[in-house]
Amino acid sequence: AYKVTFIRDGKEKTCEVGPNDYMLDAADASRIELNASCRGGVCGTCVSKLVSGTVDNEWLEVLDDGNVLSKEQIAAGYILPCSAKPTSDCVVEAN
Ligand code: FES
């Protein structure tokens, strides 16, 4: 499992996230509260910024450009934790 640290409201909370687990689900399991709604990569509520590390944000790749996150947001490191699996230890700035 990877260590994923979420920063929200200036507080840091870390949990372990398996390589096949979505970050949002792992945060839930560790009682780390994140903003979320659809949990399916559609609404954009969970949008967060990847500060360090890498993720497989698989659903973003199959969605049309700009559907949820713009190309610019993706290039700037924004991810959707509900549909992102870590591929390294990560630090995420949650909204
Ligand atoms: Fe809707 Fe993540 S909760 S996109």
Side-chain angles (χ1 to χ4, degrees):
Y2 298 111
K3 259 195 200 170
V4 177
T5 300
F6 295 95
I7 305 171
R8 191 169 173 227
D9 298 330
K11 285 179 201 144
E12 287 188 17
K13 289 184 182 168
T14 300
C15 66
E16 302 232 311
V17 187
N20 293 313
D21 295 334
Y22 293 119
M23 292 166 129
L24 179 64
D25 293 335
D28 282 349
S30 300
R31 301 193 179 174
I32 297 174
E33 219 180 289
L34 302 177
N35 285 324
S37 178
C38 74
R39 312 184 71 93
V42 177
C43 70
T45 305
C46 67
V47 63
S48 297
K49 189 168 186 182
L50 191 62
V51 178
S52 68
T54 52
V55 302
D56 179 5
N57 209 164
E58 53 188 13
W59 296 1
L60 276 186
E61 285 154 28
V62 300
L63 294 168
D64 289 338
D65 284 344
N67 232 357
V68 185
L69 298 182
S70 67
K71 270 188 181 162
E72 290 74 19
Q73 281 177 302
I74 294 169
Y78 286 91
I79 60 164
L80 298 173
C82 69
S83 54
K85 298 170 181 174
T87 53
S88 75
D89 288 352
C90 292
V91 177
V92 174
E93 213 172 273
N95 70 45

